[in-house]
Amino acid sequence: INEAIKSIREISNNLSPHMLKNIGLASAVKNFTNRIVGPKVPNIIFESNLFGKRFNEEIEVILYRVICELINNTIKHANAKNIEMHLNNQDNTILLTYSDDGVGFNVSEVIHGNSMGTGYSNMMSRLRSIKGNIEVESQHNEGTKAIVRVYL
């Protein structure tokens, strides 16, 4: 797991924002997910209607980093076998739905309580800076679902 996390950090540092600038958000995310390998790495399904579409650079960078953090959290904490992500543009909104089948966690403790990890805190702060938000649902042994919205 530590090796996979190290690999994710290296990949995300190498791809962002240079790769985003060249190929766009959806292609950079696809490239990122294809390069994550290891025995404990979940199967990642990624679908998007954003291939070939471009957005403000700040929006692309923040969404890319949020996606990397969600994947990193799943690999590091969830012991999941599968991740599914859908990244789409609908009605002047970029919508990311993210789910894993991992062990889950207590949302109120991690996000709203004293044990708030820096990962979720950073995601929430970054998203607010681009008129976005994140909603997270999770329960013990039922995985995690996150919905990210960025209003264009």
Side-chain angles (χ1 to χ4, degrees):
I1 290 173
N2 288 335
E3 199 61 35
I5 292 167
K6 181 180 173 188
S7 175
I8 287 172
R9 285 192 182 122
E10 288 174 9
I11 292 167
S12 64
N13 289 336
N14 291 337
L15 288 176
S16 175
H18 173 73
M19 186 67 83
L20 283 169
K21 193 175 276 194
N22 292 334
I23 65 174
L25 178 60
S27 295
V29 170
K30 185 69 176 169
N31 191 330
F32 174 73
T33 61
N34 287 341
R35 294 180 61 189
I36 301 172
V37 295
K40 298 280 188 177
V41 173
N43 177 50
I44 301 174
I45 297 169
F46 174 66
E47 296 177 354
S48 179
N49 71 358
L50 300 184
F51 290 99
K53 294 182 182 178
R54 299 307 307 263
F55 299 93
N56 173 288
E57 182 179 347
E58 184 179 17
I59 289 171
E60 289 187 348
V61 168
I62 288 172
L63 281 171
Y64 179 82
R65 290 183 177 153
V66 165
I67 290 167
C68 292
E69 183 66 26
L70 288 168
I71 292 170
N72 184 52
N73 285 347
T74 295
I75 291 171
K76 188 174 182 180
H77 304 291
N79 196 30
K81 295 195 181 347
N82 298 289
I83 294 172
E84 188 169 339
M85 294 184 293
H86 299 272
L87 181 64
N88 295 299
N89 184 351
Q90 309 176 27
D91 303 322
N92 293 320
T93 303
I94 298 174
L95 178 67
L96 168 69
T97 58
Y98 179 97
S99 62
D100 70 43
D101 61 357
V103 298
F105 63 96
N106 184 318
V107 174
S108 60
E109 281 182 16
V110 173
I111 295 178
H112 306 296
N114 293 334
S115 66
M116 182 179 201
T118 58
Y120 277 104
S121 175
N122 288 340
M123 285 188 277
M124 294 162 76
S125 175
R126 287 177 176 158
L127 287 165
R128 276 193 301 271
S129 76
I130 57 168
K131 294 188 251 174
N133 62 49
I134 184 170
E135 299 169 24
V136 181
E137 297 175 10
S138 186
Q139 291 186 353
H140 184 65
N141 291 327
E142 293 189 22
T144 299
K145 181 175 183 177
I147 298 173
V148 174
R149 290 181 181 85
V150 176
Y151 302 99
L152 302 173

